[in-house]
Amino acid sequence: MIKYICAKDEYEAGSCAARIFAEIINSKSDAVIGLATGSTPLKMYAKLVEMCKNSEISFKNVISVNLDEYIGLQPSHDQSYAYFMRENLFKHIDINPDNTFIPNGVSQDDLSECDRYNNVLEKIGGVDVQLLGIGHNGHIAFNEPNSFFTKDTSIVDLSESTINANSRFFISKNDVPRRAISMGIGRILRSKRILLLATGESKAKILEESLFGRITPQIPASILQFYQGEMIVVGDKAAFSEIIKNHPEVL
Ligand code: GLP
């Protein structure tokens, strides 16, 4: 069963998501947490940093795994997800950098990198809680609309709509990488818990379509309807607006 938490705004949604993560980490100090990038989790990460600074939470024994990385961006590039994680979370908390895992977007051989990352995930064992954002086209991690659901970590061609959406972070659209390495959907579904975080009006339609519409690889997030673990959807009123209108009973 999916649990829905509708927050007032993106700040409250971020705090709520951070508290859920903190609770899990506080009950299991060596928890494996699955992390995501994008603008959506920024408020949540800021809250986790604050909680860590106030000694409300410690990441000392926590292991983190990230969903994806652009192919071709050095970890020092300010739009790489390695950089994003370092700047927005890791360097402000007491996590051991050796316990943070992100696919390498600049390996010699991308296919071997996928294998390496799958092995890392296998070795680490189950993810206790996986954070997910959602793309405007329903992608989760970088699993784009397709004719099939991906199983394991793979190389992904980014869709035109994702390139357009993410071009806001780059100097020009031409600078946006065309490919990424992404954890597969099969792997995501193996996490013990999933926290899907969505904020803003622009996510309202796709959030409703994904969680209440047809289950199809054309809307990758729709597979979450089949997820067997504990799933919490945290969003603000704007992102929940279509759900509030059409499925008020779930709230
Ligand atoms: C990015 C990431 C996803 C993220 C999504 C939404 O491209 N690969 O993991 O969830 O797109 O991003 P945002 O939160 O900026 O809307």
Side-chain angles (χ1 to χ4, degrees):
M1 233 208 24
I2 302 180
K3 185 175 165 193
Y4 294 85
I5 302 178
C6 180
K8 177 172 89 222
D9 55 31
E10 57 179 328
Y11 292 91
E12 205 182 279
S15 296
C16 174
R19 277 197 302 274
I20 292 169
F21 263 59
E23 224 170 86
I24 292 165
I25 293 166
N26 282 336
S27 66
K28 186 181 180 197
S29 63
D30 59 350
V32 179
I33 59 173
L35 300 176
T37 50
S39 46
T40 310
L42 284 172
K43 309 279 180 302
M44 169 184 173
Y45 291 158
K47 185 70 186 175
L48 285 176
V49 168
E50 184 191 312
M51 291 172 104
C52 188
K53 291 210 160 121
N54 295 337
S55 307
E56 291 170 58
I57 181 177
S58 169
F59 294 83
K60 252 196 186 98
N61 301 311
V62 166
I63 296 174
S64 76
V65 291
N66 262 77
L67 290 169
D68 45 17
E69 178 60 286
Y70 287 115
I71 289 181
L73 298 191
Q74 294 289 342
S76 56
H77 189 289
D78 65 2
Q79 291 310 323
S80 74
Y81 288 163
Y83 182 95
F84 175 100
M85 291 311 304
R86 216 167 40 244
E87 291 304 307
N88 293 300
L89 187 65
F90 297 154
K91 79 174 193 191
H92 307 289
I93 60 174
D94 58 349
I95 199 162
N96 177 350
D98 294 341
N99 287 341
T100 64
F101 298 92
I102 303 183
N104 177 6
V106 287
S107 71
Q108 295 292 325
D109 175 353
D110 298 325
L111 274 177
S112 314
E113 174 56 16
C114 292
D115 287 344
R116 185 197 69 85
Y117 204 62
N118 281 328
N119 288 334
V120 166
L121 297 172
E122 207 58 54
K123 220 166 127 194
I124 287 171
V127 172
D128 289 294
V129 57
Q130 176 65 59
L131 174 67
L132 292 179
I134 185 166
H136 293 103
N137 59 5
H139 73 225
I140 45 177
F142 262 139
N143 294 289
E144 297 281 30
N146 213 326
S147 53
F148 56 89
F149 288 111
T150 51
K151 191 172 147 209
D152 260 320
T153 307
S154 60
I155 302 168
V156 174
D157 288 317
L158 300 185
S159 71
E160 207 51 34
S161 85
T162 297
I163 292 169
N164 284 335
N166 290 1
S167 65
R168 70 190 193 277
F169 301 115
F170 292 81
I171 296 168
S172 84
K173 192 179 150 184
N174 285 337
D175 296 321
V176 185
R178 273 15 199 186
R179 296 189 311 150
I181 295 181
S182 178
M183 203 188 277
I185 286 183
R187 182 67 64 170
I188 292 170
L189 295 183
R190 279 161 67 178
S191 343
K192 288 182 201 136
R193 301 178 192 85
I194 288 179
L195 195 164
L196 176 62
L197 183 61
T199 54
E201 184 91 56
S202 69
K203 298 289 172 71
K205 268 212 137 27
I206 194 64
L207 191 64
E208 191 220 4
E209 217 179 331
S210 300
L211 299 172
F212 296 90
R214 278 186 315 139
I215 296 163
T216 160
Q218 291 302 327
I219 303 175
S222 65
I223 195 74
L224 295 173
Q225 293 182 53
F226 279 158
Y227 177 61
Q228 292 290 308
E230 190 186 315
M231 176 157 150
I232 307 177
V233 183
V234 178
D236 61 1
K237 271 195 186 139
F240 268 127
S241 56
E242 289 295 320
I243 295 178
I244 294 172
K245 201 162 70 193
N246 301 318
H247 312 277
E249 70 284 354
V250 302
L251 288 159

